[in-house]
Amino acid sequence: MKRSVQLAVGAAAAVISAVALTATPADASGSHGADVYVSPHGNDRLSGTSAQPVRTLPRAQELARERAGHANGDITVHLAAGVFDLSQPLKFDARDSGVNGHRVIWQGSRGTEISGGKQVTGWHPVPGKPGLFSAPAPKGLDNTRQLYVNGVREQRAQGPLPVTVKATATGYTASAATMAGWRNPTDIEFVYTAGEALWNIQRDGLGQWTEPRCPIGSMSDTTITMAQPCWDNSTKRVLFPNIPGRSVNMVGPYDLTNGRHPTYVENAFEVLDTPGEWYLDRSSHTVYYMPRPGENLHTADVEAPALEQLITATGLHDVSFRGIQFEYATWLTPSSPEGFSEIQAGYTNTGPDGWAVQGLCQFVPNGKCPYASWTPEPGNITVSGGSGLEFSDSAFTHLGAAGLRLADNTANTMVRGNVFTDISGNGIEIGGVDQPTTGSTHDVQVLDNHLYGLPREFHGGVAILNGYSQHDVISHNQIDHVAYSAISMGWGGWPDKIKVAATPNNSHDNVVSDNLIHDYMLSLDDGGGIYTQGITGSSLATGEKVTGNVIYGQLGLGKGVYTDNGNTYENVVGNVIYGVAYADVGTAHVDYRDNLGNNDPTLIQGNYWEQGDKDGNNKGVITQDNHLLDNPSAAPKSIVDNAGLEPAYRGLLSRSATGNGVPAQPTRVGAFAADGKVYVTWNPSYAFNNAALDSYLVTAGSRTVSIPAAQFDKQGYAVVDGLANGTSYVVTVRAHNRFGASTPSLPAAPVTPGPYLERRGIRRGPTVEQ
């Protein structure tokens, strides 16, 4: 029996039903006899009544289709508690829609789960490998990128490269043939992070907002050939002939290898050496896992996501999904030769000539239009061309792509009262970027959701991503503990970097209001709490409204409200912003739609911030009536109390959608040596698995110190002393909560203490011996 994460429906569900899309409760519709009942313990040969439920969702779907046309009210498909395993995606189309002004409601019960995973059983110790266990991969599991033990995401085998490498046109030359004998080389990935923290800064690959990955194609002796097209798409991006160093896509660097090496290797059996790590050997159809202390694989629920999509819906209308936990889906494109050649926010360069033409439109011969139409991250639940849809009182968790994708031409749809967490990429995606002037994504409402602890794998993802759209409302959500930006709006503004106007688009009248955003950009840089770029309307009256949000606790370099390239007609009014690393609101950009030399029109008014800009008009950027906030407690109570989840939805903050376990490992560890000690800093963990962090364990050689989490949050570093001068040390960090310690971080570059280093002026901070 699979582990079931319970969902609280009850009173919260009643509130949602009352407000969502004016849906009529089935009990009052007069069509109760048309309802369909489905249970994991039912039988598909039965009639689907409450006394004779069917067993599978596809059979329930068939019955709902048959009955919808004859119903005189809403039809409810009642999903009993338990796990509904899917062997293939559940595909909806217009035939599944509500008819005659009525709705079809897929209503979960307490503990209803729709799963694309397969349970892994039959574990036994691996001879000659102390602590390592293996099990046969379940039938139908040909590949996956995730493994969960008792509802907790575990770490795919990772480690530093055992060799140094030098880039070539097709990959790398290694300093030794160490890796040539590794098993399954085409499954191994090189990962390029955005530099180590503070003292070990490196170049940022494809931008400090990205974390690209490319698989290996083959290895022979010291020659490492990288997989295509990922390699070309990440190293050969076209440059403007007359602008040195400026790629035609205008978003970031043109070459992944320009001063950079892979940060670490992932998905190699040879680096599986730490409790909490796992590896799928596809050639032998075997899953390997090194259990953590106290884990019993004979009783544990071990789940491997097999499906890439749980639900797809095309042309669907007037349908609600309520009270369901969507879980255990993967995404395999990054494991293919396409890899993950990231542009921004999960969009990637793909195809054999992606580097040369994809999204480059008028800027190169044969460029694909429109400009910036790169490949979006798919959703594990995907809607295309839908209208009048509702997703409420549900959980989106244990997912390997984006959680919920509301693709091009989605309209009049509500996403309310849900939890989004433990997702590899973006949380919610709205609209697209390949129909800037003809697309019609509109009137999408994303309200009162809690998004946190994401993205877990593709760290450049965002909690809510909105492309080109009209009349969308993103309001009263709480977004916290995320790797990069919390909300990203708009697209196509980068041409201002070459003094060209942003891509024309039909976006207008979008609202981002009353959200509570904190502890964001915990892994990457150059983003914001609310990030927008491109044209947002035709005037300040129709442009994007960013109002009443409370934003604080940024770590990475960026801004609270980031008005980036080509960001035209945005209103930033009445927000509370503090604790931001770079700027509360910014920046101004020249408006190249004419030759007047003005900036993109922007209104920044009535905010409570630490930035303190004077009132004025900077060529169209109007700053007025803002208030210097010298203490967060002085922010207006009316704004602070109104931001985030509304009272009826605050129970989401205590709803668990993951298993209980240790936190995720810290990232971007950096170390600096001094006399007999090393100073260490890192990016904090942001996924906690239902127990708050209490401390970090910092190890240098054989010595480990503990620093309380609250102390690290305040001072930002730890000290390991008692070290020998002249000795090289490798430093790692583990995050700790009441369930134990995470897997160790990837190590910082080795450092060597010495007495001469103390003259640099760094002083010792407090430590506690572990």
Side-chain angles (χ1 to χ4, degrees):
M1 180 64 183
K2 292 183 179 178
R3 178 183 183 276
S4 176
V5 179
Q6 300 298 319
L7 293 179
V9 288
V15 172
I16 293 171
S17 296
V19 298
L21 300 172
T22 64
T24 303
D27 289 343
S29 69
S31 64
H32 187 74
D35 285 359
V36 179
Y37 292 80
V38 55
S39 167
H41 307 293
N43 188 317
D44 279 356
R45 290 174 293 182
L46 299 177
S47 61
T49 64
S50 58
Q52 294 185 319
V54 295
R55 181 178 181 183
T56 67
L57 300 183
R59 179 56 180 153
Q61 182 183 28
E62 291 176 357
L63 293 175
R65 284 179 176 177
E66 293 171 4
R67 299 175 185 181
H70 308 289
N72 59 3
D74 294 347
I75 288 180
T76 299
V77 181
H78 300 269
L79 281 65
V83 178
F84 291 92
D85 286 305
L86 298 178
S87 59
Q88 58 186 8
L90 193 60
K91 297 182 178 180
F92 290 84
D93 58 35
R95 295 172 295 173
D96 300 293
S97 300
V99 296
N100 301 323
H102 304 304
R103 303 184 65 77
V104 176
I105 302 168
W106 289 70
Q107 177 66 64
S109 304
R110 185 182 297 273
T112 298
E113 303 170 24
I114 295 179
S115 170
K118 292 187 177 293
Q119 198 167 30
V120 184
T121 59
W123 293 96
H124 58 271
V126 177
K129 298 285 186 179
L132 186 63
F133 283 69
S134 68
K139 184 179 180 180
L141 182 71
D142 299 318
N143 200 0
T144 190
R145 296 181 63 86
Q146 296 84 30
L147 189 76
Y148 297 86
V149 178
N150 293 328
V152 175
R153 180 183 292 234
E154 303 297 352
Q155 175 61 54
R156 197 163 66 146
Q158 65 171 14
L161 273 66
V163 294
T164 58
V165 292
K166 182 178 180 180
T168 67
T170 58
Y172 297 96
T173 299
S175 59
T178 308
M179 297 177 64
W182 285 12
R183 65 174 76 177
N184 304 321
T186 58
D187 288 346
I188 299 170
E189 295 174 13
F190 282 174
V191 185
Y192 303 80
T193 66
E196 296 172 339
L198 195 57
W199 296 304
N200 297 100
I201 292 295
Q202 305 175 30
R203 292 182 183 270
D204 293 315
L206 295 173
Q208 65 260 41
W209 57 91
T210 68
E211 194 172 273
R213 327 171 145 249
C214 278
I216 291 174
S218 64
M219 292 189 290
S220 177
D221 194 33
T222 59
T223 298
I224 301 173
T225 302
M226 300 299 290
Q228 295 286 13
C230 188
W231 186 248
D232 282 354
N233 285 336
S234 304
T235 62
K236 295 173 67 174
R237 295 179 182 178
V238 183
L239 291 173
F240 282 108
N242 58 337
I243 309 177
R246 172 67 71 194
S247 62
V248 175
N249 72 25
M250 292 173 272
V251 184
Y254 65 95
D255 185 355
L256 187 65
T257 67
N258 185 23
R260 294 282 286 132
H261 301 301
T263 310
Y264 64 95
V265 61
E266 188 169 293
N267 202 37
F269 176 80
E270 287 73 14
V271 296
L272 201 174
D273 58 5
T274 302
E277 289 188 331
W278 67 276
Y279 173 76
L280 171 61
D281 189 329
R282 295 197 296 150
S283 62
S284 65
H285 212 58
T286 302
V287 182
Y288 293 91
Y289 176 65
M290 188 171 287
R292 301 176 186 275
E295 285 181 338
N296 183 346
L297 293 181
H298 298 298
T299 59
D301 173 35
V302 182
E303 301 283 343
L307 294 185
E308 294 188 75
Q309 291 188 310
L310 301 177
I311 288 178
T312 65
T314 304
L316 187 68
H317 61 85
D318 299 302
V319 174
S320 298
F321 298 91
R322 301 175 181 167
I324 300 169
Q325 178 152 311
F326 301 97
E327 63 184 5
Y328 298 129
T330 190
W331 177 36
L332 298 179
T333 296
S335 298
S336 77
E338 286 283 5
F340 189 72
S341 180
E342 190 168 21
I343 299 284
Q344 182 168 311
Y347 279 86
T348 53
N349 237 357
T350 61
D353 60 352
W355 61 276
V357 298
Q358 188 182 26
L360 302 188
C361 200
Q362 70 270 29
F363 298 108
V364 298
N366 302 313
K368 304 298 184 184
C369 292
Y371 167 70
S373 57
W374 298 294
T375 303
E377 196 172 81
N380 293 130
I381 294 87
T382 298
V383 172
S384 180
S387 178
L389 304 181
E390 174 200 355
F391 293 86
S392 61
D393 195 36
S394 295
F396 297 76
T397 186
H398 307 330
L399 300 175
L404 173 62
R405 177 167 173 75
L406 305 175
D408 286 326
N409 302 314
T410 300
N412 299 305
T413 289
M414 178 178 289
V415 181
R416 188 168 205 171
N418 305 285
V419 168
F420 292 80
T421 191
D422 191 19
I423 297 169
S424 288
N426 298 317
I428 304 172
E429 297 178 343
I430 307 167
V433 300
D434 58 352
Q435 299 182 57
T437 58
T438 61
S440 187
T441 297
H442 65 87
D443 292 283
V444 174
Q445 298 183 66
V446 179
L447 312 174
D448 291 293
N449 302 282
H450 187 202
L451 303 98
Y452 68 98
L454 60 87
R456 291 295 305 275
E457 185 175 2
F458 310 111
H459 295 135
V462 300
I464 302 174
L465 176 66
N466 191 110
Y468 300 127
S469 63
Q470 309 94 44
H471 294 288
D472 289 352
V473 177
I474 299 172
S475 185
H476 283 293
N477 302 284
Q478 177 166 323
I479 303 173
D480 61 88
H481 296 94
V482 293
Y484 181 51
S485 297
I487 298 173
S488 178
M489 304 285 292
W491 206 251
W494 297 284
D496 76 359
K497 293 182 177 181
I498 58 167
K499 301 182 179 181
V500 174
T503 301
N505 71 79
N506 62 4
S507 294
H508 61 83
D509 292 290
N510 293 313
V511 174
V512 183
S513 64
D514 305 312
N515 299 286
L516 174 60
I517 297 169
H518 65 89
D519 293 284
Y520 61 99
M521 292 183 63
L522 297 184
S523 187
L524 300 182
D525 296 311
D526 199 12
I530 299 170
Y531 171 94
T532 306
Q533 55 116 338
I535 300 171
T536 74
S538 57
S539 66
L540 283 173
T542 64
E544 182 179 310
K545 310 297 191 299
V546 177
T547 65
N549 302 282
V550 174
I551 304 170
Y552 67 91
Q554 181 190 107
L555 180 67
L557 294 176
K559 303 171 179 71
V561 177
Y562 195 162
T563 54
D564 203 5
N565 301 103
N567 184 192
T568 308
Y569 297 126
E570 180 165 334
N571 301 262
V572 184
V573 178
N575 303 280
V576 172
I577 310 170
Y578 60 92
V580 172
Y582 182 68
D584 290 353
V585 179
T587 57
H589 293 268
V590 175
D591 185 353
Y592 291 105
R593 295 176 301 163
D594 52 40
N595 296 315
L596 300 178
N598 293 320
N599 289 325
D600 293 316
T602 308
L603 175 64
I604 305 170
Q605 180 179 11
N607 300 287
Y608 292 79
W609 60 357
E610 297 174 323
Q611 190 162 316
D613 291 358
K614 295 181 179 179
D615 286 2
N617 187 336
N618 178 17
K619 298 181 178 180
V621 178
I622 301 170
T623 304
Q624 62 186 25
D625 300 326
N626 297 289
H627 310 273
L628 186 63
L629 189 66
D630 58 1
N631 187 329
S633 64
K637 185 176 175 59
S638 58
I639 299 177
V640 173
D641 290 350
N642 189 53
L645 301 174
E646 295 176 280
Y649 298 91
R650 289 175 186 167
L652 292 176
L653 300 178
S654 59
R655 176 181 292 181
S656 172
T658 65
N660 297 330
V662 303
Q665 64 185 200
T667 59
R668 299 177 73 181
V669 179
F672 180 88
D675 186 7
K677 62 177 76 74
V678 294
Y679 293 81
V680 186
T681 190
W682 58 88
N683 283 35
S685 301
Y686 58 88
F688 310 136
N689 296 313
N690 298 318
L693 294 182
D694 52 47
S695 60
Y696 290 95
L697 306 177
V698 186
T699 298
S702 60
R703 183 163 171 75
T704 297
V705 300
S706 174
I707 178 172
Q711 180 178 320
F712 174 75
D713 289 344
K714 183 177 181 179
Q715 73 183 33
Y717 68 94
V719 178
V720 183
D721 57 8
L723 304 180
N725 289 338
T727 299
S728 178
Y729 290 91
V730 172
V731 179
T732 61
V733 182
R734 291 172 291 159
H736 188 277
N737 65 12
R738 66 184 177 88
F739 296 117
S742 71
T743 53
S745 68
L746 292 160
V751 291
T752 303
Y756 65 93
L757 296 170
E758 191 70 19
R759 291 195 296 271
R760 292 177 182 255
I762 297 178
R763 293 293 178 260
R764 174 177 176 171
T767 63
V768 180
E769 181 70 32
Q770 174 68 19

